[in-house]
Amino acid sequence: MEGRAYLLRPDTPKEGLLRQARSGETEDELSEPIRSQVREAGLIMRPPPVTPNTLYALEATEYAQQHGKFMEFHHAAYKAYWEDRKDLGQLDVLAEVASSVSLDADEMIQCLETHEFSNRVMGQYQEALQHGIRGIPTFVVGNLLFTGAHPYDIFKSAMNQYLESQ
């Protein structure tokens, strides 16, 4: 699996935004229909207090991918944001996530501060826009592109169609 960068809210300021609770949310649960989907999938998604600017997080993810730790970092960042309600726009949080998956946090932070992966991340974002991608997560299976959280059966069907066409 290869991860590609996508800026969901590119207009978010560098310091992030205080997140406003949505109708039907509680302190520990998102609103419907996401609440039910999260429960059904066995995930934890608590409403975070801040909507971060995700550029650093995307660059950190690229760093992790370059070091063979994409999925480990992705899962640890998910936990930090959705379970622990941490601000992924903060370098100290990203360093903590990196360390938790045995990445060199100091080296990663240096890469973020020097914007080593900025051009790559922005290039991936522009490429996504050129392909008509307007949201995340987006999945490409063969020539089929679909966006959003979907039940397992959708992925299974897409993979079966792809495999049958080969």
Side-chain angles (χ1 to χ4, degrees), residues 141 144 146 151-164:
V141 179
L144 179 64
F146 53 102
Y152 172 76
D153 288 341
I154 298 293
F155 290 98
K156 185 176 176 182
S157 175
M159 286 303 295
N160 285 339
Q161 286 178 22
Y162 173 73
L163 292 172
E164 288 172 9

Side-chain angles (χ1 to χ4, degrees), residues 12-13 15-21 48-52 87:
T12 303
E15 66 277 4
L17 294 169
L18 286 179
R19 187 176 177 279
Q20 300 300 313
V50 173
T51 297
D87 181 354

Side-chain angles (χ1 to χ4, degrees), residues 19-36 38-39 44-50 81-83 85:
R19 187 176 177 279
Q20 300 300 313
R22 295 184 174 101
S23 178
E25 279 186 356
T26 68
E27 185 176 322
D28 286 329
E29 293 186 301
L30 296 169
S31 58
E32 291 296 349
I34 295 173
R35 177 184 301 167
S36 294
V38 165
R39 283 182 185 162
I44 297 171
M45 289 180 80
R46 296 184 177 110
V50 173
Y81 185 69
W82 288 111
E83 293 183 30
R85 296 182 172 129

